[in-house]
Amino acid sequence: MDRHDLQLQSFDVIRFASYRTACKLRFVQKFCNLHLVDVWNIIESFRENGLNSLEPTNEISVSKLETLISSLYHNLNKRLPIQQQISVESKASVLLNWLLSAYFGSECGKIRVFSIKIALAIMCAGKLVDKLRYIFSQISDGAGHLIHWKSASFLKDLLALPAAVFESPSFYYRDGLETEFFPLNSRITVNDFIATLIVEPGPPCLVWLLLLQKLATVESVVHNTTCSVCSKESFTGFRYRCQRCHNYIMCQDCFWIGRTTGEHKNDHEVKEYSTFKSPSKQTLSSLRKSFRCYPEKSTQALPRFPEHPEKTLNLSHIVPPSPLPAHNKFSIHNGMTDCISNKSMGISNDSTLSNNFLSGDEEHKLIARYAAKLAQEDLSSTEHQVSSVLCIDDAQHQREIIAELENKNKEIMKEIQKLRRQEETDIESGINGENDGGLMTELRALRQRKGELEGHLGALQDSRRHLMSQLEGLMRMLKSHQITSPKSSPNSSPRSSRSPPINQHVSQIGEFE
């Protein structure tokens, strides 16, 4: 995207630099489909690519930036319907070139991570308050106070956006500008930071920022009236009313260009409207206000946020849930036995499958308790026993397949990391773009293969959970059978011909204890 693309949109005919800049940035935002991505998607993409905890002075290569943008659009396509999905390569190329034109430096082909965070956070969709909160988290210390030297870097990168759409003569950074916003000897919290930048009319060099946010909301507002200049009916966007001329209404196109009719002049004071109320509703609202005996309570325009940052959660003790015995560090038979015993004793099955906190003695005690419980029950139903064995065999087969798929997944992840290291090494050593393209193609193929394996793994895990639910149903049927049987008394239950193997299993477990 260059100057010619913007000239084709006829933005230069707008008289006001703030509206002209906001319209150009809104065009870039919609052309790159960033209006479909909110700030939370941006943060998640930074985390996926390992860029969330880097300092503002850190730099990344152009290939790493391309990977970040591609992952952003790939995640967007996952949320969009098939008929609305976008071309990742074309949109990523346009956004990459625009960001490079705004922030690319000449030192070793690197670009600062902080600049990319500021640009994507401002240009994406979402509330301006959420965007500024995220930006403040990048330029504040652990106590929740603004770091002044980082605020200067923030203003430089923020004012580079108007320069990227060729509006630098109107909005630019100058030395000492940050002290005009945030005095050096003051402690600036997140609420002070938001109030300084978002309260209207705002700083003169950042007027375009509020207008960019307004343009996204007024595009769908329909004004059921007629423009006094061009006679357009039911127009969208902003609406302007002259404070001198009676009932003189203008659409945003006529006002921005400066087109007038009759006695109205461009130096007349006008009022801007971003919403529309019918004349009947306006009259009703005026009457309601006139009959009030007390003034209306003033509503707080800006929300208040905690001035101290929240403590980071310690997730070191959290074990990722996995049905594999290799993660649980005990055999398949013991894992299945623990699952059944926990269900019979009222313990949650999901927490047992991912539980690594039980010691070896506790596991043996659980097995012993379950074996003792089985020794007291009458296992006379051969059909139920065969069904249970088949379910266990199927679950064991599913476990083996899942373990095999996870091993393949680990090998693919190792290969991806190896290719990433090789790609960075090749770029630093000056290898031409053809080799880089081959590596990127191979890397995308590996990612696609990894996604297929993960999908297969998820399907197998769902199948295994279904088998476990069937096994639980069989256990409940066994219990209900024992309750209805007259021989199921715990004091006088006779042993069947299959009881000796269970007693033998109990004696073996007793040796472990």
Side-chain angles (χ1 to χ4, degrees):
M1 182 179 300
D2 53 10
R3 184 186 294 271
H4 179 68
D5 296 328
L6 294 175
Q7 288 177 349
L8 292 177
Q9 304 301 319
S10 302
F11 292 129
D12 292 333
V13 299
I14 301 177
R15 297 181 297 158
F16 309 101
S18 56
Y19 288 94
R20 187 169 60 247
T21 304
C23 289
K24 289 181 179 180
L25 290 176
R26 178 62 177 170
F27 171 74
V28 174
Q29 183 186 52
K30 297 179 69 174
F31 189 81
C32 297
N33 291 105
L34 290 177
H35 67 294
L36 303 176
V37 182
D38 59 18
V39 66
W40 312 113
N41 303 136
I42 298 293
I43 296 173
E44 185 62 27
S45 296
F46 285 137
R47 288 180 177 175
E48 287 180 358
N49 292 270
L51 305 177
N52 57 312
S53 59
L54 295 181
E55 289 295 325
T57 55
N58 290 112
E59 297 177 339
I60 59 173
S61 61
V62 177
S63 60
K64 184 68 175 178
L65 176 59
E66 184 181 4
T67 303
L68 168 67
I69 297 174
S70 298
S71 65
L72 184 67
Y73 284 117
H74 279 296
N75 293 333
L76 174 61
N77 276 340
K78 292 179 182 179
R79 301 188 299 270
L80 294 177
I82 298 178
Q83 61 273 14
Q84 297 180 6
Q85 291 187 356
I86 62 175
S87 175
V88 175
E89 294 183 358
S90 61
K91 296 299 180 180
S93 176
V94 172
L95 181 57
L96 176 65
N97 293 331
W98 188 75
L99 290 175
L100 292 178
S101 65
Y103 297 107
F104 187 68
S106 59
E107 47 279 348
C108 301
K110 299 285 186 177
I111 186 171
R112 291 197 311 155
V113 179
F114 185 70
S115 302
I116 303 304
K117 290 182 178 180
I118 296 300
L120 293 181
I122 295 297
M123 295 298 294
C124 70
K127 297 180 180 179
L128 184 58
V129 174
D130 296 332
K131 299 178 183 180
L132 295 179
R133 284 184 65 194
Y134 169 68
I135 292 174
F136 185 81
S137 67
Q138 304 296 312
I139 60 177
S140 59
D141 55 15
H145 296 147
L146 178 70
I147 302 175
H148 288 278
W149 71 268
K150 289 185 178 180
S151 65
S153 180
F154 157 68
L155 290 176
K156 288 180 182 178
D157 292 334
L158 182 60
L159 290 173
L161 296 178
V165 291
F166 313 104
E167 292 295 335
S168 56
S170 302
F171 306 103
Y172 57 92
Y173 176 82
R174 64 180 184 275
D175 294 335
L177 181 62
E178 64 277 2
T179 58
E180 300 179 9
F181 290 87
F182 317 108
L184 292 176
N185 297 327
S186 59
R187 293 185 177 181
I188 307 299
T189 62
V190 61
N191 297 304
D192 301 330
F193 179 77
I194 294 175
T196 302
L197 299 181
I198 205 173
V199 174
E200 294 185 359
C205 63
L206 298 181
V207 178
W208 57 270
L209 182 60
L210 296 177
L211 289 175
L212 175 62
Q213 195 71 19
K214 282 186 177 181
L215 284 176
T217 58
V218 300
E219 286 180 351
S220 58
V221 176
V222 179
H223 303 276
N224 293 323
T225 185
T226 304
C227 177
S228 301
V229 182
C230 63
S231 301
K232 184 189 298 183
E233 297 180 355
S234 300
F235 53 86
T236 59
F238 290 106
R239 174 170 54 93
Y240 298 90
R241 177 186 290 272
C242 181
Q243 302 299 298
R244 288 191 191 180
C245 305
H246 175 68
N247 198 22
Y248 194 88
I249 299 172
M250 293 178 289
C251 64
Q252 68 178 17
D253 295 334
C254 295
F255 176 72
W256 289 352
I257 296 174
R259 189 186 300 120
T260 61
T261 57
E263 298 180 356
H264 179 74
K265 305 297 180 182
N266 286 329
D267 57 352
H268 288 186
E269 182 182 357
V270 297
K271 187 175 181 180
E272 183 182 83
Y273 296 89
S274 57
T275 59
F276 179 79
K277 290 184 179 179
S278 62
S280 59
K281 289 185 178 180
Q282 290 180 358
T283 305
L284 184 61
S285 178
S286 301
L287 289 174
R288 189 183 296 112
K289 289 181 180 179
S290 63
F291 283 114
R292 283 199 181 102
C293 299
Y294 53 89
E296 186 179 3
K297 293 183 180 180
S298 60
T299 58
Q300 189 175 0
L302 295 177
R304 299 287 298 180
F305 301 101
E307 297 185 352
H308 297 283
E310 298 179 358
K311 294 182 179 180
T312 306
L313 295 177
N314 183 14
L315 303 179
S316 59
H317 62 284
I318 300 298
V319 180
S322 175
L324 293 179
H327 290 257
N328 293 330
K329 298 182 180 179
F330 52 88
S331 65
I332 297 177
H333 174 72
N334 290 340
M336 185 64 67
T337 306
D338 287 343
C339 175
I340 301 173
S341 63
N342 288 336
K343 275 295 178 181
S344 63
M345 291 181 291
I347 302 176
S348 175
N349 185 27
D350 293 336
S351 61
T352 305
L353 290 175
S354 60
N355 191 0
N356 274 352
F357 303 104
L358 294 178
S359 61
D361 295 335
E362 291 175 343
E363 292 178 3
H364 291 307
K365 289 179 182 178
L366 290 176
I367 297 174
R369 289 174 62 183
Y370 175 65
K373 189 175 182 65
L374 288 180
Q376 297 175 3
E377 296 179 354
D378 185 9
L379 303 180
S380 58
S381 178
T382 306
E383 179 180 357
H384 292 314
Q385 287 183 354
V386 173
S387 300
S388 300
V389 171
L390 290 176
C391 290
I392 294 175
D393 292 340
D394 291 338
Q396 181 177 354
H397 180 65
Q398 296 286 343
R399 286 171 180 265
E400 293 175 354
I401 296 177
I402 293 173
E404 181 181 356
L405 289 174
E406 281 208 349
N407 291 330
K408 291 181 179 180
N409 188 19
K410 290 179 181 178
E411 294 177 359
I412 291 176
M413 290 301 298
K414 291 179 180 179
E415 188 67 23
I416 290 175
Q417 294 296 332
K418 180 180 178 181
L419 287 173
R420 284 179 177 174
R421 290 192 297 268
Q422 184 179 357
E423 178 188 1
E424 293 178 357
T425 304
D426 292 343
I427 293 174
E428 292 176 358
S429 60
I431 294 180
N432 56 13
E434 295 180 357
N435 293 334
D436 294 340
L439 288 174
M440 291 299 296
T441 303
E442 188 174 0
L443 182 60
R444 292 192 186 97
L446 287 174
R447 284 179 178 173
Q448 183 178 3
R449 179 59 178 167
K450 175 178 174 291
E452 295 175 356
L453 290 176
E454 288 178 348
H456 193 187
L457 179 62
L460 290 174
Q461 289 178 348
D462 293 338
S463 176
R464 181 185 175 278
R465 283 193 292 268
H466 181 66
L467 290 174
M468 291 302 300
S469 63
Q470 291 181 353
L471 181 60
E472 292 171 7
L474 291 174
M475 292 302 300
R476 285 194 294 269
M477 293 174 61
L478 283 174
K479 290 181 182 180
S480 62
H481 178 76
Q482 293 302 321
I483 292 175
T484 55
S485 176
K487 298 180 181 181
S488 60
S489 174
N491 296 326
S492 61
S493 58
R495 301 293 186 267
S496 64
S497 59
R498 292 175 177 79
S499 297
I502 298 177
N503 293 331
Q504 183 180 0
H505 182 59
V506 174
S507 62
Q508 292 177 356
I509 296 176
E511 294 177 1
F512 286 116
E513 294 182 335

